[in-house]
Amino acid sequence: MSFQDAIKVCFQKYADFSGNAKRPEFWWWVVFCIIISAILNMFLPIIGGIFSLAVLLPSLSVGSRRLHDVGMSGWWQLIGLTGIGILVLIYFWAQKGK
């Protein structure tokens, strides 16, 4: 999956928490969010904050679909709230899909 395809799919499935997301779709989305957020926060912090809020739901959605692809529930994303749990999530997200 190319970068443009991954971004397009994630915006098309804006709030779709069902189904699966392959590794390239998820990781291209993460790269897109990090790059755009960093650029916007350097020059226009208010717009960067608005962007971050705008991509929160699709980020949760693609994270949930990625966890479904490795055979886990999307609710596992809540472990990220513990701080150290983000490392566990990265491990799950990096696994090969089933």
Side-chain angles (χ1 to χ4, degrees):
M1 175 173 279
S2 71
F3 180 78
Q4 294 88 0
D5 291 338
I7 304 310
K8 187 166 78 170
V9 166
C10 287
F11 277 121
Q12 286 173 345
K13 295 181 175 183
Y14 193 86
D16 184 8
F17 289 84
S18 62
N20 296 331
K22 301 295 181 199
R23 277 190 289 189
E25 177 184 343
F26 175 78
W27 289 112
W28 281 127
W29 176 258
V30 170
V31 168
F32 167 76
C33 290
I34 289 172
I35 290 172
I36 299 300
S37 289
I39 291 170
L40 287 175
N41 284 322
M42 277 193 296
F43 300 110
L44 304 164
I46 295 174
I47 302 298
I50 293 170
F51 173 79
S52 295
L53 284 175
V55 297
L56 177 63
L57 190 58
S59 295
L60 291 172
S61 172
V62 74
S64 179
R65 291 194 314 269
R66 180 69 200 126
L67 287 171
H68 292 163
D69 192 45
V70 295
M72 305 189 77
S73 170
W75 288 101
W76 271 94
Q77 291 184 93
L78 292 175
I79 198 170
L81 297 175
T82 64
I84 193 78
I86 193 70
L87 297 174
V88 175
L89 282 174
I90 290 171
Y91 172 75
F92 291 154
W93 288 328
Q95 287 183 346
K96 187 175 181 180
K98 294 184 177 169

